[in-house]
C-alpha cells in the first residue's frame, strides 16, 4: 500500500488528499498527512535501491533552469538531461547565479562520475565562466533552439507540481523533484528494471522489485 501510494503520487498529478480518497475507495483508510510522510520517507530509499541498476549517463548534457514556488518564494531548479533523454540531476537554489550553477555541475559530475564533452545551455551570462573553470575541454553550445529538449522536459515537472500549489519546505521540495526525475527515468527505460515489461506496466513491476530490496 505504501509503495503504491508513493508511486501514484510521483507519477500522476494527484494531491495527498486525492490519494487519501483513492485509497479509501479501495478499503484503505489512511490520512493524507500519513501519505505525505510516506512520500518523504520512502522516495529516497526507492531511488537509492535502484541506483545500481541505473544506466550510465551520456556525455552530452543539456542544462537549463526552471522556477518553482517553495515556502512562498520562487526558487530555481537546475536540471540536466543527456543525449538519451535521461534526467542527470536536479538542484534547487534560491538564486540563479554562478555559485548555484557551479554547485549544480559539481554535484552532477560527482554523482554520475561522468565528465561531459558537450554542454548545451541558454545564453545566460553565468555559464561561460563556470564551464571554462570546471570543464575547459567541453564544447559549450548556446545555439538558438539547441536547448529546446530540456526546456520541453521542464513541462513534465511543472505539470506534476501544479496540483500541489507550491512546495512547503526546501528539503521536501528536493525529495519530490528528485523523485519525479527518478520516475521519469524509470518510465523511459534508463534502469535495468522491468525492461521486458510493456511501458504501461514498467513502473508497477519496478516498484514491486524495489520494495523487496528495501
Amino acid at each position: 500500500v505504501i509503495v503504491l501510494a508513493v508511486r501514484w503520487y510521483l507519477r500522476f498529478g494527484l494531491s495527498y488528499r486525492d490519494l487519501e480518497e483513492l485509497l479509501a475507495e479501495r478499503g484503505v483508510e489512511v490520512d493524507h498527512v500519513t501519505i505525505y510522510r510516506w512520500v518523504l520517507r520512502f522516495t529516497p530509499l526507492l531511488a537509492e535501491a535502484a541506483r545500481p541498476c541505473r544506466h550510465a549517463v551520456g556525455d552530452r548534457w543539456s542544462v537549463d533552469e526552471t522556477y518553482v514556488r517553495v515556502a512562498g518564494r520562487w526558487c530555481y531548479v537546475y536540471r540536466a538531461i543527456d543525449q538519451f533523454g535521461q534526467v542527470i540531476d536536479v538542484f534547487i537554489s534560491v538564486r540563479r547565479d554562478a555559485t548555484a550553477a557551479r554547485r549544480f555541475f559539481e554535484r552532477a559530475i560527482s554523482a554520475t562520475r561522468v565528465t561531459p564533452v558537450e554542454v548545451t545551455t541558454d545564453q545566460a551570462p553565468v555559464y561561460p565562466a563556470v564551464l571554462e573553470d570546471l570543464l575547459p575541454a567541453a564544447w559549450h553550445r548556446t545555439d538558438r533552439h539547441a536547448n529546446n529538449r530540456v526546456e520541453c522536459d521542464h513541462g513534465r515537472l511543472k505539470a506534476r507540481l501544479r496540483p500541489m500549489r507550491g512546495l512547503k519546505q526546501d528539503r521536501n521540495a528536493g525529495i519530490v523533484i528528485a523523485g519525479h526525475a527518478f520516475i521519469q527515468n524509470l518510465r523511459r527505460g534508463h534502469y535495468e528494471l522491468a525492461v521486458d515489461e510493456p511501458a504501461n506496466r514498467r513502473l508497477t513491476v519496478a516498484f514491486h522489485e524495489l520494495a523487496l530490496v528495501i
Side-chain angles (χ1 to χ4, degrees):
V1 170
I2 291 173
V3 171
L4 176 67
V6 173
R7 174 166 60 83
W8 278 358
Y9 182 78
L10 296 175
R11 169 65 183 90
F12 301 108
L14 300 169
S15 68
Y16 294 115
R17 292 183 184 275
D18 290 335
L19 282 172
E20 178 182 353
E21 184 175 339
L22 288 171
L23 291 175
E25 289 181 1
R26 289 156 177 77
V28 180
E29 297 291 339
V30 58
D31 190 78
H32 64 277
V33 176
T34 299
I35 300 173
Y36 161 79
R37 291 171 178 163
W38 287 348
V39 170
L40 298 185
R41 177 72 178 94
F42 288 97
T43 296
L45 294 179
L46 291 163
E48 179 61 24
R51 186 175 55 82
C53 303
R54 184 178 178 179
H55 291 174
V57 169
D59 58 3
R60 290 185 292 165
W61 295 8
S62 293
V63 179
D64 191 41
E65 61 282 337
T66 187
Y67 54 88
V68 298
R69 197 165 185 82
V70 180
R73 63 184 178 183
W74 289 105
C75 295
Y76 293 94
V77 180
Y78 286 79
R79 302 176 73 246
I81 62 173
D82 65 13
Q83 66 266 40
F84 308 113
Q86 180 175 185
V87 181
I88 298 166
D89 202 359
V90 295
F91 175 70
I92 301 175
S93 172
V94 296
R95 291 184 174 86
R96 184 191 185 195
D97 56 15
T99 301
R102 174 183 290 273
R103 287 186 63 190
F104 170 72
F105 278 105
E106 289 176 342
R107 188 172 112 161
I109 293 169
S110 174
T112 62
R113 301 185 185 277
V114 171
T115 301
V117 299
E118 176 185 314
V119 178
T120 302
T121 71
D122 58 18
Q123 297 183 8
V126 301
Y127 286 118
V130 171
L131 292 174
E132 180 63 29
D133 186 30
L134 291 178
L135 301 167
W139 177 29
H140 181 201
R141 293 187 59 192
T142 57
D143 313 351
R144 187 179 182 185
H145 306 308
N147 223 22
N148 282 2
R149 190 172 190 179
V150 67
E151 289 173 357
C152 291
D153 199 73
H154 291 331
R156 296 185 179 275
L157 174 62
K158 289 295 190 71
R160 175 61 201 92
L161 297 180
R162 195 170 296 119
M164 301 170 65
R165 301 177 185 176
L167 297 151
K168 305 303 186 236
Q169 299 178 23
D170 291 347
R171 175 180 174 272
N172 300 353
I175 290 174
V176 171
I177 291 172
H180 176 267
F182 167 55
I183 286 286
Q184 289 297 101
N185 285 339
L186 264 179
R187 293 183 64 227
R188 294 168 180 170
H190 296 302
Y191 286 84
E192 288 300 317
L193 289 167
V195 291
D196 296 328
E197 297 293 330
N200 61 353
R201 286 275 301 160
R202 187 173 293 151
L203 284 181
T204 303
V205 175
F207 265 59
H208 176 72
E209 295 175 5
L210 294 173
L212 296 178
V213 173
I214 67 173

